[in-house]
Amino acid sequence: MEDKDKEKSIEDLYQDARSYLDTRVEHTRLYLLEKISKIFADIVTNAAVVICFVLAFLFGTFTLALFLSDVLHSYTKGFGCVALIYVFLALLVYFTKEKYIEKAIINFTIRNYFNKLADKDEEEQKI
């Protein structure tokens, strides 16, 4: 009789362990799906914002070039001035990228990541 009880309890233990493992695998799968979905949504929204800023920048630049062309009475001079502004900005970025720009981007990215982690922790604590 004891052997059957032991066998029964071992079978129950095996079933419980199997059920626990299945639950953990499902939890991990759902957790990864949530993370991937958040990352994808973040990429899509950031891409939309970047596209809007680029379009606004391009139209603003074209407007500035046309305005300068009107002021200088020459399309060549107006668009040339805008080209010189771009060259100046490119040189400014090139010479300041290591000291200021890269650090700012790195700090922004890290801050954004940790803020999202903190938000997730707050959501979990509410539940």
Side-chain angles (χ1 to χ4, degrees):
M1 181 90 176
E2 285 181 34
D3 288 338
K4 285 189 177 187
D5 288 341
K6 255 188 185 178
E7 191 175 305
K8 178 81 169 148
S9 65
I10 290 174
E11 185 66 30
D12 288 343
L13 183 63
Y14 174 76
Q15 289 298 328
D16 289 345
R18 182 82 174 150
S19 175
Y20 175 76
L21 184 61
D22 289 343
T23 303
R24 289 295 295 171
V25 167
E26 183 68 15
H27 176 266
T28 303
R29 188 181 69 77
L30 291 173
Y31 177 77
L32 289 175
L33 181 64
E34 177 190 18
K35 286 294 185 187
I36 291 170
S37 297
K38 283 184 179 183
I39 290 171
F40 181 72
D42 194 40
I43 289 171
V44 168
T45 55
N46 286 340
V49 169
V50 166
I51 288 170
C52 289
F53 274 122
V54 167
L55 287 173
F57 181 74
L58 288 175
F59 281 114
T61 299
F62 193 71
T63 303
L64 177 64
L66 288 175
F67 173 74
L68 291 175
S69 296
D70 191 40
V71 169
L72 299 173
H73 306 293
S74 169
Y75 286 120
T76 307
K77 290 178 184 177
F79 280 87
C81 287
V82 171
L84 288 175
I85 291 171
Y86 278 141
V87 169
F88 174 72
L89 287 175
L91 290 173
L92 185 68
V93 167
Y94 179 76
F95 288 117
T96 61
K97 72 177 182 176
E98 290 179 10
K99 189 172 183 180
Y100 299 110
I101 297 172
E102 288 178 356
K103 288 180 183 178
I105 292 171
I106 290 168
N107 289 334
F108 173 78
T109 305
I110 291 171
R111 191 177 310 113
N112 191 20
Y113 174 75
F114 281 115
N115 285 341
K116 286 187 181 198
L117 282 179
D119 290 344
K120 185 179 182 335
D121 288 342
E122 288 176 9
E123 287 177 12
E124 289 176 356
Q125 288 177 357
K126 288 179 184 178
I127 296 174

